[in-house]
Amino acid sequence: MARRLDAFVDAAFAFAVTLLIVGGGDTPERFSDLSAMLLRAPAFAAAFALIAMFWLGYRDLGRLWSHRDVLSTTLSLAIVFVVLLYVFPLRFIMEAALHALSGGWLPGTRLAETLQEQRYLYVAYGAGCLILSVLYGTLYRHHRGQGEPTSDQALTAAIWISNWSILAGVSGVSMLLAAAAPDHLASWAPGVVYMVIGPLIGLSMALRFGRGSRAAAVDTGEATS
């Protein structure tokens, strides 16, 4: 059961990556078409990295826990459903962001031409991140709560749950900015806020392993005294 479910989830992630590429346009017929397609590679790479992060989260779950029950199966199928819906807002957001950051040198999407449409796109993207983060966090908490976890299971689950919590929180802030921020902020602030995810995860990891090092030092001191 677990192998078949995990294989299905892996196939769904592979299909999501295919949609990132195929959804970018038709097969190039001229050099200019090929050049334009290659200029979209940075946006594809950024979107691919996020899809890969979600896949790695599921892969680690399969490495740590080999069994699946009704709840974990339902959550896994929900993840597949949301990922396949999330692909297109993800691609559009990445293309628009890199188009703006490159000063227009990289091609961007014309999907959102008005500020109201940009707000809607930010909300759709944030909702995808938020829902996936909640699903993953619930999945890890569910498996961690079944029996006594090993040290590897407990540590890996704690790291992933912390990361999903950070992503969910930042996504929620982005959605609020997109929905309620003044016009002069709404066009860029909901996207820029995602740039704090990396530093927050780094800080969380530093605090976690710092506490672990201090606890190990205390245990060593007690053992030698």
Side-chain angles (χ1 to χ4, degrees):
M1 173 66 178
R3 286 186 178 180
R4 295 179 66 181
L5 177 62
D6 291 352
F8 175 72
V9 175
D10 287 345
F13 274 100
F15 182 62
V17 172
T18 302
L19 288 177
L20 282 176
I21 303 174
V22 175
D26 299 327
T27 302
E29 297 180 354
R30 297 182 299 274
F31 180 81
S32 59
D33 296 335
L34 177 62
S35 178
M37 185 186 73
L38 292 177
L39 286 174
R40 294 182 183 273
F44 166 70
F48 175 82
L50 283 176
I51 294 293
M53 181 194 72
F54 287 116
W55 175 77
L56 287 171
Y58 195 86
R59 184 207 62 176
D60 272 2
L61 182 83
R63 177 179 65 83
L64 295 171
W65 290 281
S66 59
H67 66 282
R68 299 289 183 273
D69 57 15
V70 174
L71 179 57
S72 60
T73 299
T74 302
L75 291 170
S76 298
L77 294 176
I79 286 171
V80 168
F81 177 77
V82 177
V83 163
L84 294 177
L85 285 179
Y86 174 70
V87 165
F88 291 106
L90 171 62
R91 180 172 67 84
F92 292 138
I93 282 286
M94 289 304 170
E95 287 186 357
L98 292 179
H99 176 74
L101 291 173
S102 67
W105 183 70
L106 293 174
T109 177
R110 294 183 178 178
L111 177 68
E113 296 181 343
T114 67
L115 180 59
Q116 190 62 31
E117 290 173 346
Q118 290 178 9
R119 288 179 184 270
Y120 182 84
L121 185 56
Y122 278 126
V123 169
Y125 175 78
C129 285
L130 178 61
I131 293 171
L132 282 173
S133 300
V134 171
L135 289 172
Y136 270 99
T138 304
L139 191 57
Y140 268 91
R141 288 188 179 92
H142 171 64
H143 279 280
R144 186 180 62 178
Q146 294 184 327
E148 188 68 25
T150 66
S151 57
D152 185 26
Q153 289 173 333
L155 177 60
T156 304
I159 291 172
W160 275 116
I161 289 171
S162 175
N163 292 348
W164 300 130
S165 299
I166 290 170
L167 181 56
V170 173
S171 299
V173 171
S174 175
M175 292 172 67
L176 287 175
L177 287 172
D183 290 351
H184 68 281
L185 294 176
S187 62
W188 59 270
V192 171
V193 73
Y194 286 101
M195 298 177 72
V196 307
I197 291 176
L200 287 177
I201 289 178
L203 178 61
S204 174
M205 295 288 285
L207 292 174
R208 180 178 304 280
F209 286 105
R211 288 195 300 267
S213 299
R214 289 193 296 271
V218 170
D219 290 342
T220 301
E222 291 178 349
T224 55
S225 61

